[in-house]
Structures are given as structure tokens and as C-alpha cells.
Amino acid sequence: MPELSAQRAGDLGGTGNRQVKKVAVLGSSGFVGRAVVAELRRRGAEVHLVTTPRLAWPLVEALRSESVPADLQRDVVEALAAQLDGAHSVINTAGLPNGSAPDSAALYGGNSLLPTLVARAATLVNAGRLVHVSSAAAQGAMDLDETPRTLPFSPYSRSKAIGERLLQREDHIDSVIYRSTWVHDVDRPNTRALIRLAQSPLSCVAGDGTAPTPQVLIDDVAAAIAHLGLVDGPVPPIVVQPHNGMTTGLLLRLLGGREPRHLPRRMARYATRCLAAYGRTSLNANAHARRVDMLLFGKRQTPGWLAGQGLAPQLHPEAWERLRTAGTPPTSASAPNADAVARPRTGDSQPVETSSGARTTGR
């Protein structure tokens, strides 16, 4: 059992945080957004839920843009600014979170273009800080760190990497890019799929299973994001979710309820090389190959700013075991939660075309 890390960020009781009258949150009906809203309210913040436009941006434009043109979607920026007015901090959790999504204009509109437009809207109303929720997937096979380096391996990770790069060109607002690692909760489809794998004969790890793997619970992600939105003083331009001590073998034991198979590292490496060769056939195939590689070998990360502040989450093995025993996930017909009723989900408004000469519509 790995040694438990420092206090969970959400258990610090607001140490170092200032009272913020209003925090605007985009994407509040999404998986991460709902948890962030709940955590902010727990800390006493006034939360304003922002209706997020659905944007469409062709891949060719996303790839060739060194920065977002100043006049692109000016009406969208102004509409967002009207919603952000009075907010001290803005937290953007909106976007398309599907790691297996194919290339599409909606993917690059939500993950690549939207962050910059939100930054410009926040600048117009003199918001104190923008927290943009990105993904560690943007760094691909690299060790995770807090540098601007990215190595995308799928349409989703590429859209996140472009969003980071473009946002860093906006220097008019104090912004921080938060790279979430792989997030789990009881009703998360990816979590349920991992649990099924952990309970199957295919559950295996390379070697002794002590390699670190960046898997985290949603409560810890929400605590980190809320801290970034509320904390006084400067924060780095990029931060990564701190490691909680999880290892490849422990993950499968907790979620599968039994010991995984231990493959010789040479055999496991041969298997991943075969998968990597398959992955070269397409970005989507490469995404699947990368997931298998991380399950077998894990992924290293450099300790970052949040860990240095004493905000690395505890491991909480019992919480991971509860994921395994929680039963089947809710069906798509489940009743929406209060936040989902209060505002449309990201993507419920009409697409806003950004290609030359296209018509712009919205709610």
C-alpha cells in the first residue's frame, strides 16, 4: 500500500482563500462542472452559472491559427461578457469531454476556440482570474509536468493542446490552465468500463504493479479547481492535478477486488509495441493504444505547484472500493440534476459557425 499523501485540497477549510462574492462557472451541468459548483458553494462562494455557446471551428482553421483573430466571434465575446459582469473569478469547465471523439468542428469549437473567447470576455469585465480546465491528455506519452509542451495523440487531445496554446497568447488576464488527470466517479462511463476490465481475466499490469498512474477522484479535482479560483496571490500559468499515490497494481486491485495478472515487462512491452503499430493507423486507434499502455506501465509526473502548496489529495482506498460496489450506473433516462434544469448543457444552444462567410446563430 503506498504511503498516503498530504491533505486533500478541499479539507483545508479555505486556508489562503479570500472571500469571493461571485464566481462565474461555464459548463456547470457537465461532469466536472457540477462537482466544481458544489465545492465552490461548500466554501461559501456565490456561484453564477453561465450559459455556454456551442461553437463550431473547422480543424483546418484551428491548426493554422497562431492566435485567434481579434474580431472573430466578437458578438459571442460580448454576450459572454454580459453574463460574466461582476464576477471576480471565471472557471471554464465547458467543452467536449469525449476522449474518443472523432475530428469535428464542434470538438475544436468547444475545446480549442472557446477558452480564448472566454478569456476575452473576462478581460472586458475586469475579472480577476480565469481558470481553464484542460486535460493531461494534451501531453500524450510525455511525463506529465507544468510546461507548455504538448504531444497530442488523438483528436480530443489535439483539441485540448490547441486550446492551451491559443489561450497562452492572451496576456490581458491572469489565467491558469489546469490539467486534469484521469477522473473517476461512480456514474462515469469510463470508470465503469475500467471496473469491468479490472474484474475480467484481462486485468493485468506490467511487472510488480508499483508504477505510478495518474487516476483521481472527482471530489479531488473539484477541490483543486475551486482552490485555483479562490486563492489569493499569483498562480502559475499551468498546473497539473497532483498525484495521490495510486499505482497500476493498486488501481486494479481496488476496482477489481482481486489481484491482477503480472506480466513480464518484456512481454508487456512487446504487446504495447504491437498496439502502437496499430495506433499509427489513425488518431483514434492511437488513443486506445495509449490507454492500454498507461494501464500496463502507468505514467510518471513531475510534482507541481499544487503539490508544493500541500494540496496533494489523499489516496482514500475506501472511496475507490466504493466505486466497485456502487452497482450499475444511472441510465440515460435518469432525471437531470438541479443544475442541469437551471441552465442548458454545453451544446444545447445552436452552433455558431466560424468559417469565413458562415451564418452565426444563437439563443
Side-chain angles (χ1 to χ4, degrees):
M1 180 74 65
E3 184 176 338
L4 297 184
S5 51
Q7 276 184 296
R8 174 181 174 271
D11 293 336
L12 296 182
T15 301
N17 289 354
R18 58 191 170 202
Q19 293 298 318
V20 178
K21 291 184 178 180
K22 181 186 286 188
V23 180
V25 179
L26 292 87
S28 60
S29 68
F31 172 59
V32 173
R34 289 194 302 269
V36 169
V37 167
E39 180 67 18
L40 287 169
R41 286 173 174 163
R42 189 185 73 80
R43 297 185 182 209
E46 176 189 345
V47 181
H48 176 62
L49 309 183
V50 178
T51 302
T52 310
R54 181 181 175 185
L55 304 175
W57 204 28
L59 171 60
V60 63
E61 293 189 18
L63 287 176
R64 73 187 182 192
S65 297
E66 291 300 318
S67 61
V68 176
D71 60 346
L72 184 63
Q73 294 301 329
R74 189 185 299 274
D75 55 338
V76 173
V77 172
E78 292 174 352
L80 282 171
Q83 295 190 74
L84 302 181
D85 193 24
H88 180 84
S89 299
V90 178
I91 298 178
N92 177 35
T93 71
L96 275 68
N98 184 0
S100 300
D103 278 320
S104 70
L107 181 69
Y108 294 98
N111 293 348
S112 303
L113 176 60
L114 178 63
T116 293
L117 301 188
V118 173
R120 291 176 179 176
T123 298
L124 287 178
V125 298
N126 296 315
R129 174 172 297 151
L130 168 64
V131 181
H132 169 59
V133 178
S134 186
S135 171
Q139 291 198 292
M142 299 167 50
D143 291 351
L144 302 183
D145 60 25
E146 296 180 345
T147 68
R149 298 178 303 163
T150 58
L151 188 64
F153 59 93
S154 66
Y156 170 76
S157 62
R158 180 165 60 189
S159 70
K160 285 294 190 179
I162 293 173
E164 288 189 9
R165 173 173 57 82
L166 295 176
L167 179 58
Q168 290 174 80
R169 299 299 179 95
E170 302 294 310
D171 57 0
H172 303 298
I173 184 173
D174 174 21
S175 65
V176 53
I177 294 168
Y178 164 80
R179 287 178 179 156
S180 169
T181 52
W182 283 261
V183 192
H184 297 280
D185 196 22
V186 62
D187 58 354
R188 183 77 161 163
N190 287 345
T191 303
R192 304 311 304 177
L194 182 56
I195 291 171
R196 290 192 296 271
L197 174 64
Q199 295 175 340
S200 77
L202 295 177
S203 178
C204 56
V205 294
D208 59 9
T210 60
T213 185
Q215 315 289 331
V216 68
L217 297 171
I218 182 59
D219 288 347
D220 296 322
V221 166
I225 295 170
H227 179 80
L228 290 171
L230 299 176
V231 70
D232 247 333
V235 298
I238 300 174
V239 301
V240 66
Q241 171 66 32
H243 187 234
N244 57 8
M246 185 65 78
T247 66
T248 53
L250 179 59
L251 176 69
L252 295 180
R253 284 196 296 274
L254 292 174
L255 296 183
R258 60 186 179 84
E259 188 69 23
R261 294 184 180 185
H262 291 261
L263 302 179
R265 292 184 64 86
R266 179 174 295 183
M267 178 187 297
R269 183 58 68 193
Y270 176 77
T272 57
R273 285 173 181 166
C274 293
L275 285 170
Y278 163 70
R280 286 194 288 271
T281 62
S282 72
L283 284 173
N284 282 329
N286 194 24
H288 293 302
R290 287 296 311 148
R291 292 190 189 104
V292 172
D293 184 85
M294 187 168 64
L295 283 175
L296 287 171
F297 291 97
K299 179 183 280 289
R300 294 179 297 179
Q301 68 179 82
T302 302
W305 184 81
L306 286 169
Q309 299 294 304
L311 303 180
Q314 293 181 350
L315 183 58
H316 296 301
E318 71 284 354
W320 290 89
E321 290 175 335
R322 282 197 295 269
L323 295 182
R324 183 183 79 240
T325 58
T328 57
T331 65
S332 58
S334 298
N337 58 47
D339 283 338
V341 173
R343 60 171 297 284
R345 294 172 297 168
T346 301
D348 283 350
S349 56
Q350 295 298 313
V352 181
E353 296 295 340
T354 63
S355 55
S356 177
R359 184 169 57 93
T360 300
T361 59
R363 281 183 178 250

